[in-house]
Amino acid sequence: VPRPRNAFILFRCDFVRQKKIPEDVEKDHRNISRIVGRIWREMSEEDKFPWVEMAEREKLVHSQTYPGYKY
């Protein structure tokens, strides 16, 4: 059973999906994670809020889908 994604992971997935860093610039996902992590840390709580809210919803759906799941 996969764990529910946290706010940063949801942000990173969306960042990669939108191809904000073109593949011809950077292909190594370790470096992409470092870049996205730096952007995430510099974001205000207000900017992070939609991702935090999305993570909470995903966590709620996960707990309803897999009651009693522990990680």
Side-chain angles (χ1 to χ4, degrees), residues 6-45:
N6 64 29
F8 171 72
I9 296 298
L10 290 168
F11 175 73
R12 186 197 179 286
C13 289
D14 186 58
F15 198 93
V16 170
R17 185 178 47 76
Q18 290 184 28
K19 298 183 192 279
K20 291 189 177 182
I21 301 175
E23 258 189 47
D24 58 330
V25 173
E26 183 61 62
K27 293 182 183 179
D28 189 342
H29 279 271
R30 294 173 298 179
N31 291 333
I32 292 172
S33 290
R34 289 180 188 116
I35 294 165
V36 176
R38 185 173 297 140
I39 292 167
W40 178 259
R41 286 189 299 276
E42 292 175 1
M43 289 171 61
S44 69
E45 293 302 315

